[in-house]
Amino acid sequence: MRTIMLVGVIIVGLVIGKLFIFSKPGTDGSGSTKKGGEGKGGKSAGGAPVPVNVFVVKNETIENQIFASGTVLPNEEVNLMAETSGRLVKLNIQEGAQITKGQLIAKINDRELQAQLQKVAYNQDLSKKIEARQKKLLNVEAINLEEYDVTSNNIRLLEAEKEVLEAQLEKTEIRAPFSGRIGLKYISEGAYLAPGTPIVTIVQSNPVKIDFTVPEKYSPNIRIGNTVKFSLDGDPATYNAKILAIDPKVDENLRTLRIRAVAQNPSNRFVPGMFVKILADLEANRAALMVPTEAIVPVLKGKKVFVVKNGKAQEVMVTTGLRTDKKIQVVEGLQPGDSLITSGIIAIKPNTAVKVN
């Protein structure tokens, strides 16, 4: 019995000693002492550098093309209207027909003006005869100079009155101001016209003008005399037009510049009012900085990228320009030779240590 108790005491003592060894401060279960400030595996608190892919920025040549929509306009167009009142006695037009410059289109009744003009002509003949007789009398001093001056002045007044009547007669004839095609008439022969009454429209469609707009940033690249290409809906062919004029100001609402080009139209293929698609080839940019689109990060104040400097990621704000299917032009912010980060951008912050793959 004493032997059993002694063995039990020895076993309890061994257990207590073992527990004391395990609970000793500064040691682990194997008896080795821990070192303060280090974690498991011996790595620093900052972590390993982030592996990234980079793109070395360099100058590239890009074709500068503008796609725009335009409208076909006639070279000349006028809406003929009556200048004086009266009954329309002649309408010398065929709708849709070609006319030449100076051709008579409409005639307003002018019988009253013709009668007044005849009356002035009779008075002129009489005044000239009186003036001739008074001149002879003035030479022999049979009349004074004042009487002769009144007669001479009367002749000049009649001449001025004749010019007024001829101008009024000219207004009774409406003639074509240029060669072109007659549109649809607004009135018929026999109608009474008042000043400003529309009669017919004349359109000159060879050549035709093409108006289109481009963003204001392309204004330095547009030149008068440059050639642009255009196409029509449903027509696979491509046609050429030459830039004729550039609007001297930018639309302040749309921030666009209006351009006018001219194209020959001998077969009347282009009808005024048509929609056209414009392709303008501008001067190629041979020193453009083109970078992958995935490297651009949109932010509240614009756009930014990350570049590698001294083994760390640095944030750079950039201004972009033209865009292709895979790349985008950087106008400001980068220089040739910069190492641009293109992968792992979500996990990167400024001054993050990186490792180039």
Side-chain angles (χ1 to χ4, degrees), residues 123-134:
N123 288 332
Q124 279 185 315
D125 290 341
L126 178 59
S127 297
K128 288 179 180 179
K129 291 177 182 179
I130 294 174
E131 188 267 342
R133 290 195 296 265
Q134 287 185 349

Side-chain angles (χ1 to χ4, degrees), residues 39-304:
K40 196 171 184 179
K43 298 296 183 181
S44 62
V50 178
V52 295
N53 296 332
V54 299
F55 175 84
V56 180
V57 179
K58 60 182 179 180
N59 291 328
E60 298 182 18
T61 299
I62 58 173
E63 297 296 331
N64 201 356
Q65 295 181 326
I66 301 176
F67 295 90
S69 58
T71 303
V72 178
L73 300 175
N75 184 51
E76 301 289 351
E77 182 180 9
V78 64
N79 191 12
L80 295 181
M81 298 183 179
E83 291 187 78
T84 186
S85 59
R87 182 170 55 87
L88 185 62
V89 295
K90 186 176 183 181
L91 190 59
N92 186 30
I93 61 172
Q94 182 180 355
E95 293 171 314
Q98 288 284 346
I99 61 169
T100 57
K101 182 178 180 179
Q103 181 177 331
L104 180 64
I105 294 176
K107 176 66 177 177
I108 298 175
N109 184 19
D110 62 353
R111 290 186 61 185
E112 183 177 352
L113 293 175
Q114 291 287 359
Q116 293 180 15
L117 188 62
Q118 188 64 41
K119 179 182 177 180
V120 170
Y122 292 151
N123 288 332
Q124 279 185 315
D125 290 341
L126 178 59
S127 297
K128 288 179 180 179
K129 291 177 182 179
I130 294 174
E131 188 267 342
R133 290 195 296 265
Q134 287 185 349
K135 187 174 184 179
K136 293 179 181 179
L137 294 175
L138 181 63
N139 291 334
V140 297
E141 299 182 356
I143 61 172
N144 56 33
L145 182 60
E146 182 180 357
E147 294 181 23
Y148 178 78
D149 288 343
V150 170
T151 303
S152 298
N153 185 64
N154 188 42
I155 294 176
R156 289 191 291 270
L157 289 176
L158 290 172
E159 184 64 30
E161 187 176 350
K162 178 182 177 182
E163 291 181 2
V164 170
L165 291 172
E166 288 176 345
Q168 292 178 350
L169 281 170
E170 188 175 337
K171 292 180 180 180
T172 63
E173 295 181 350
I174 294 91
R175 297 182 178 273
F178 51 80
S179 299
R181 187 181 295 274
I182 288 286
L184 304 180
K185 64 181 181 179
Y186 303 125
I187 58 173
S188 298
E189 190 173 307
Y192 181 84
L193 305 182
T197 302
I199 300 173
V200 73
T201 300
I202 300 178
V203 176
Q204 186 183 84
S205 56
N206 184 30
V208 291
K209 298 173 182 176
I210 299 175
D211 279 12
F212 62 96
T213 58
V214 298
E216 62 179 353
K217 64 181 179 180
Y218 296 113
S219 57
N221 305 107
I222 301 294
R223 297 287 184 272
I224 294 177
N226 287 358
T227 300
V228 298
K229 298 178 181 179
F230 67 96
S231 59
L232 309 175
D233 282 341
D235 187 349
T238 301
Y239 306 94
N240 294 329
K242 183 175 290 186
I243 294 179
L244 177 66
I246 301 174
D247 198 329
K249 65 177 183 178
V250 173
D251 189 315
E252 61 183 10
N253 295 321
L254 302 176
R255 299 301 176 189
T256 56
L257 185 67
R258 188 175 180 182
I259 312 296
R260 175 165 290 176
V262 61
Q264 298 301 317
N265 188 28
S267 60
N268 293 321
R269 177 66 183 87
F270 317 126
V271 180
M274 272 186 168
F275 168 82
V276 295
K277 292 174 284 188
I278 305 292
L279 171 60
D281 289 319
L282 306 181
E283 296 179 359
N285 189 346
R286 303 186 183 280
L289 299 180
M290 302 298 294
V291 301
T293 54
E294 60 267 22
I296 304 296
V297 181
V299 293
L300 184 61
K301 296 182 179 180
K303 299 174 183 176
K304 70 177 182 179

